[in-house]
mmCIF file of all heavy atoms in Angstrom:
data_model
loop_
_atom_site.group_PDB
_atom_site.id
_atom_site.type_symbol
_atom_site.label_atom_id
_atom_site.label_comp_id
_atom_site.label_asym_id
_atom_site.label_seq_id
_atom_site.Cartn_x
_atom_site.Cartn_y
_atom_site.Cartn_z
ATOM 1 N N GLY M 967 60.665 -54.434 15.893
ATOM 2 C CA GLY M 967 60.861 -55.360 17.118
ATOM 3 C C GLY M 967 60.671 -54.456 18.322
ATOM 4 O O GLY M 967 61.009 -53.272 18.418
ATOM 5 N N LEU M 968 60.061 -55.022 19.454
ATOM 6 C CA LEU M 968 59.887 -54.311 20.722
ATOM 7 C C LEU M 968 60.215 -55.296 21.743
ATOM 8 O O LEU M 968 59.629 -56.455 21.842
ATOM 9 C CB LEU M 968 58.472 -53.920 20.755
ATOM 10 C CG LEU M 968 58.011 -53.181 22.061
ATOM 11 C CD1 LEU M 968 58.804 -51.898 22.204
ATOM 12 C CD2 LEU M 968 56.531 -52.998 22.152
ATOM 13 N N ASP M 969 61.095 -54.935 22.582
ATOM 14 C CA ASP M 969 61.519 -55.705 23.861
ATOM 15 C C ASP M 969 61.156 -54.926 25.104
ATOM 16 O O ASP M 969 61.862 -53.963 25.538
ATOM 17 C CB ASP M 969 62.984 -55.884 23.752
ATOM 18 C CG ASP M 969 63.399 -56.904 24.783
ATOM 19 O OD1 ASP M 969 62.736 -57.113 25.885
ATOM 20 O OD2 ASP M 969 64.445 -57.635 24.539
ATOM 21 N N LEU M 970 59.992 -55.407 25.769
ATOM 22 C CA LEU M 970 59.633 -54.776 27.025
ATOM 23 C C LEU M 970 59.662 -55.822 28.175
ATOM 24 O O LEU M 970 58.953 -55.781 29.155
ATOM 25 C CB LEU M 970 58.142 -54.190 26.938
ATOM 26 C CG LEU M 970 57.953 -52.999 25.974
ATOM 27 C CD1 LEU M 970 56.529 -52.592 25.979
ATOM 28 C CD2 LEU M 970 58.951 -51.886 26.301
ATOM 29 N N GLN M 971 60.592 -56.728 28.086
ATOM 30 C CA GLN M 971 60.720 -57.764 29.092
ATOM 31 C C GLN M 971 61.209 -57.204 30.340
ATOM 32 O O GLN M 971 62.000 -56.192 30.370
ATOM 33 C CB GLN M 971 61.573 -58.901 28.642
ATOM 34 C CG GLN M 971 63.005 -58.584 28.288
ATOM 35 C CD GLN M 971 63.832 -59.746 28.042
ATOM 36 O OE1 GLN M 971 63.941 -60.671 28.870
ATOM 37 N NE2 GLN M 971 64.411 -59.838 26.763
ATOM 38 N N ASN M 972 60.726 -57.702 31.472
ATOM 39 C CA ASN M 972 61.171 -57.204 32.808
ATOM 40 C C ASN M 972 60.900 -55.735 33.029
ATOM 41 O O ASN M 972 61.802 -55.016 33.660
ATOM 42 C CB ASN M 972 62.649 -57.644 33.025
ATOM 43 C CG ASN M 972 62.985 -57.641 34.511
ATOM 44 O OD1 ASN M 972 62.141 -57.841 35.397
ATOM 45 N ND2 ASN M 972 64.256 -57.500 34.787
ATOM 46 N N CYS M 973 59.729 -55.276 32.807
ATOM 47 C CA CYS M 973 59.360 -53.895 32.943
ATOM 48 C C CYS M 973 58.358 -53.611 33.948
ATOM 49 O O CYS M 973 57.749 -52.520 33.979
ATOM 50 C CB CYS M 973 58.981 -53.277 31.597
ATOM 51 S SG CYS M 973 60.387 -53.034 30.416
ATOM 52 N N SER M 974 57.903 -54.648 34.679
ATOM 53 C CA SER M 974 56.925 -54.564 35.702
ATOM 54 C C SER M 974 55.565 -54.088 35.113
ATOM 55 O O SER M 974 54.868 -53.303 35.853
ATOM 56 C CB SER M 974 57.455 -53.630 36.810
ATOM 57 O OG SER M 974 58.612 -54.105 37.346
ATOM 58 N N LEU M 975 55.225 -54.577 34.048
ATOM 59 C CA LEU M 975 53.984 -54.179 33.327
ATOM 60 C C LEU M 975 52.842 -55.170 33.733
ATOM 61 O O LEU M 975 52.991 -56.323 33.504
ATOM 62 C CB LEU M 975 54.162 -54.128 31.763
ATOM 63 C CG LEU M 975 55.240 -53.193 31.211
ATOM 64 C CD1 LEU M 975 55.408 -53.394 29.828
ATOM 65 C CD2 LEU M 975 54.952 -51.790 31.617
ATOM 66 N N GLU M 976 51.700 -54.448 34.131
ATOM 67 C CA GLU M 976 50.512 -55.258 34.295
ATOM 68 C C GLU M 976 49.687 -55.309 32.970
ATOM 69 O O GLU M 976 48.934 -56.209 32.697
ATOM 70 C CB GLU M 976 49.597 -54.691 35.392
ATOM 71 C CG GLU M 976 50.327 -54.826 36.869
ATOM 72 C CD GLU M 976 49.336 -54.393 37.886
ATOM 73 O OE1 GLU M 976 48.206 -53.949 37.524
ATOM 74 O OE2 GLU M 976 49.730 -54.521 39.024
ATOM 75 N N ASP M 977 49.856 -54.300 32.052
ATOM 76 C CA ASP M 977 49.345 -54.294 30.831
ATOM 77 C C ASP M 977 50.301 -53.480 29.957
ATOM 78 O O ASP M 977 51.114 -52.690 30.432
ATOM 79 C CB ASP M 977 48.004 -53.606 30.751
ATOM 80 C CG ASP M 977 48.014 -52.163 31.225
ATOM 81 O OD1 ASP M 977 48.362 -51.308 30.446
ATOM 82 O OD2 ASP M 977 47.545 -51.925 32.380
ATOM 83 N N PRO M 978 50.330 -53.648 28.590
ATOM 84 C CA PRO M 978 51.340 -53.098 27.678
ATOM 85 C C PRO M 978 51.209 -51.450 27.642
ATOM 86 O O PRO M 978 52.151 -50.829 27.369
ATOM 87 C CB PRO M 978 51.017 -53.608 26.374
ATOM 88 C CG PRO M 978 50.431 -54.870 26.593
ATOM 89 C CD PRO M 978 49.588 -54.687 27.915
ATOM 90 N N GLY M 979 50.090 -50.846 28.226
ATOM 91 C CA GLY M 979 49.950 -49.444 28.207
ATOM 92 C C GLY M 979 49.395 -48.879 27.012
ATOM 93 O O GLY M 979 49.192 -49.337 25.917
ATOM 94 N N PRO M 980 48.972 -47.553 27.077
ATOM 95 C CA PRO M 980 48.304 -46.847 25.997
ATOM 96 C C PRO M 980 49.104 -46.592 24.793
ATOM 97 O O PRO M 980 48.644 -46.256 23.636
ATOM 98 C CB PRO M 980 47.877 -45.473 26.624
ATOM 99 C CG PRO M 980 48.914 -45.256 27.786
ATOM 100 C CD PRO M 980 49.119 -46.640 28.271
ATOM 101 N N ASN M 981 50.423 -46.581 24.901
ATOM 102 C CA ASN M 981 51.327 -46.330 23.772
ATOM 103 C C ASN M 981 51.597 -47.583 22.936
ATOM 104 O O ASN M 981 52.243 -47.523 21.861
ATOM 105 C CB ASN M 981 52.736 -45.823 24.186
ATOM 106 C CG ASN M 981 52.618 -44.335 24.715
ATOM 107 O OD1 ASN M 981 51.663 -43.600 24.285
ATOM 108 N ND2 ASN M 981 53.263 -44.015 25.775
ATOM 109 N N PHE M 982 51.150 -48.745 23.415
ATOM 110 C CA PHE M 982 51.500 -50.011 22.805
ATOM 111 C C PHE M 982 51.039 -50.122 21.379
ATOM 112 O O PHE M 982 51.838 -50.677 20.514
ATOM 113 C CB PHE M 982 50.889 -51.188 23.615
ATOM 114 C CG PHE M 982 51.363 -52.506 23.142
ATOM 115 C CD1 PHE M 982 52.718 -52.979 23.450
ATOM 116 C CD2 PHE M 982 50.513 -53.402 22.518
ATOM 117 C CE1 PHE M 982 53.115 -54.179 23.030
ATOM 118 C CE2 PHE M 982 50.899 -54.685 22.132
ATOM 119 C CZ PHE M 982 52.177 -55.110 22.403
ATOM 120 N N PRO M 983 49.900 -49.521 20.978
ATOM 121 C CA PRO M 983 49.480 -49.527 19.462
ATOM 122 C C PRO M 983 50.513 -48.965 18.661
ATOM 123 O O PRO M 983 50.478 -49.255 17.402
ATOM 124 C CB PRO M 983 48.154 -48.875 19.493
ATOM 125 C CG PRO M 983 47.679 -49.059 20.900
ATOM 126 C CD PRO M 983 48.793 -48.977 21.756
ATOM 127 N N GLN M 984 51.462 -48.195 19.045
ATOM 128 C CA GLN M 984 52.488 -47.559 18.141
ATOM 129 C C GLN M 984 53.376 -48.593 17.627
ATOM 130 O O GLN M 984 53.996 -48.451 16.561
ATOM 131 C CB GLN M 984 53.302 -46.589 19.064
ATOM 132 C CG GLN M 984 52.607 -45.406 19.495
ATOM 133 C CD GLN M 984 53.593 -44.552 20.400
ATOM 134 O OE1 GLN M 984 54.729 -44.927 20.742
ATOM 135 N NE2 GLN M 984 53.038 -43.380 20.829
ATOM 136 N N ALA M 985 53.405 -49.821 18.169
ATOM 137 C CA ALA M 985 54.270 -50.965 17.654
ATOM 138 C C ALA M 985 53.482 -51.927 16.824
ATOM 139 O O ALA M 985 53.839 -53.037 16.630
ATOM 140 C CB ALA M 985 54.773 -51.724 18.945
ATOM 141 N N TYR M 986 52.283 -51.400 16.213
ATOM 142 C CA TYR M 986 51.527 -52.332 15.410
ATOM 143 C C TYR M 986 52.197 -52.875 14.151
ATOM 144 O O TYR M 986 51.834 -53.897 13.598
ATOM 145 C CB TYR M 986 50.224 -51.588 14.924
ATOM 146 C CG TYR M 986 50.490 -50.615 13.822
ATOM 147 C CD1 TYR M 986 50.247 -50.966 12.449
ATOM 148 C CD2 TYR M 986 50.960 -49.337 14.136
ATOM 149 C CE1 TYR M 986 50.491 -50.046 11.484
ATOM 150 C CE2 TYR M 986 51.112 -48.395 13.130
ATOM 151 C CZ TYR M 986 50.890 -48.788 11.752
ATOM 152 O OH TYR M 986 51.145 -47.881 10.778
ATOM 153 N N THR M 987 53.350 -52.317 13.793
ATOM 154 C CA THR M 987 54.190 -52.826 12.666
ATOM 155 C C THR M 987 55.156 -53.836 13.024
ATOM 156 O O THR M 987 55.792 -54.464 12.203
ATOM 157 C CB THR M 987 54.830 -51.697 11.998
ATOM 158 O OG1 THR M 987 55.671 -50.949 12.963
ATOM 159 C CG2 THR M 987 53.939 -50.687 11.337
ATOM 160 N N ALA M 988 55.260 -54.241 14.325
ATOM 161 C CA ALA M 988 56.285 -55.073 14.852
ATOM 162 C C ALA M 988 56.118 -56.545 14.305
ATOM 163 O O ALA M 988 55.024 -57.058 14.195
ATOM 164 C CB ALA M 988 56.279 -55.112 16.337
ATOM 165 N N VAL M 989 57.226 -57.129 13.965
ATOM 166 C CA VAL M 989 57.245 -58.532 13.645
ATOM 167 C C VAL M 989 57.526 -59.493 14.885
ATOM 168 O O VAL M 989 57.093 -60.561 14.864
ATOM 169 C CB VAL M 989 58.434 -58.746 12.592
ATOM 170 C CG1 VAL M 989 58.494 -60.172 12.175
ATOM 171 C CG2 VAL M 989 58.089 -57.930 11.313
ATOM 172 N N ILE M 990 58.300 -58.886 15.829
ATOM 173 C CA ILE M 990 58.599 -59.686 17.016
ATOM 174 C C ILE M 990 58.478 -58.821 18.258
ATOM 175 O O ILE M 990 58.894 -57.579 18.255
ATOM 176 C CB ILE M 990 60.106 -60.244 16.958
ATOM 177 C CG1 ILE M 990 60.442 -60.956 18.138
ATOM 178 C CG2 ILE M 990 61.076 -59.195 16.625
ATOM 179 C CD1 ILE M 990 61.706 -61.770 18.102
ATOM 180 N N ILE M 991 57.824 -59.265 19.323
ATOM 181 C CA ILE M 991 57.568 -58.638 20.495
ATOM 182 C C ILE M 991 57.934 -59.582 21.758
ATOM 183 O O ILE M 991 57.521 -60.646 21.737
ATOM 184 C CB ILE M 991 56.221 -58.067 20.621
ATOM 185 C CG1 ILE M 991 55.827 -57.010 19.543
ATOM 186 C CG2 ILE M 991 55.917 -57.436 22.062
ATOM 187 C CD1 ILE M 991 54.480 -56.501 19.539
ATOM 188 N N ASP M 992 58.706 -58.957 22.681
ATOM 189 C CA ASP M 992 58.998 -59.686 23.928
ATOM 190 C C ASP M 992 58.481 -59.037 25.089
ATOM 191 O O ASP M 992 58.831 -57.932 25.416
ATOM 192 C CB ASP M 992 60.578 -59.876 24.026
ATOM 193 C CG ASP M 992 60.999 -60.872 25.051
ATOM 194 O OD1 ASP M 992 60.113 -61.166 25.907
ATOM 195 O OD2 ASP M 992 62.083 -61.440 24.889
ATOM 196 N N LEU M 993 57.503 -59.701 25.791
ATOM 197 C CA LEU M 993 56.851 -59.196 26.998
ATOM 198 C C LEU M 993 57.092 -60.060 28.210
ATOM 199 O O LEU M 993 56.412 -59.891 29.209
ATOM 200 C CB LEU M 993 55.384 -58.981 26.810
ATOM 201 C CG LEU M 993 55.016 -57.886 25.712
ATOM 202 C CD1 LEU M 993 53.441 -58.012 25.447
ATOM 203 C CD2 LEU M 993 55.356 -56.539 26.074
ATOM 204 N N GLN M 994 58.053 -61.040 28.239
ATOM 205 C CA GLN M 994 58.233 -61.917 29.280
ATOM 206 C C GLN M 994 58.771 -61.157 30.463
ATOM 207 O O GLN M 994 59.141 -59.997 30.381
ATOM 208 C CB GLN M 994 59.244 -62.992 28.838
ATOM 209 C CG GLN M 994 60.589 -62.493 28.596
ATOM 210 C CD GLN M 994 61.631 -63.596 28.229
ATOM 211 O OE1 GLN M 994 61.633 -64.586 28.913
ATOM 212 N NE2 GLN M 994 62.198 -63.511 27.150
ATOM 213 N N ALA M 995 58.632 -61.858 31.630
ATOM 214 C CA ALA M 995 59.071 -61.416 32.943
ATOM 215 C C ALA M 995 58.255 -60.082 33.325
ATOM 216 O O ALA M 995 58.784 -59.248 33.972
ATOM 217 C CB ALA M 995 60.575 -61.149 32.902
#
């Protein structure tokens, strides 16, 4: 699981592929 909500992200960033095994991801706000 990965929770990056409310992180002022315009895109998930270059490290985002590290979470390819995630079942749930939160990118809201």
Side-chain angles (χ1 to χ4, degrees):
L968 176 64
D969 190 334
L970 294 180
Q971 62 174 301
N972 199 22
C973 289
S974 302
L975 300 175
E976 292 187 358
D977 61 78
N981 294 324
F982 191 68
Q984 295 175 354
Y986 74 96
T987 53
V989 177
I990 178 170
I991 296 177
D992 194 335
L993 294 173
Q994 65 179 306

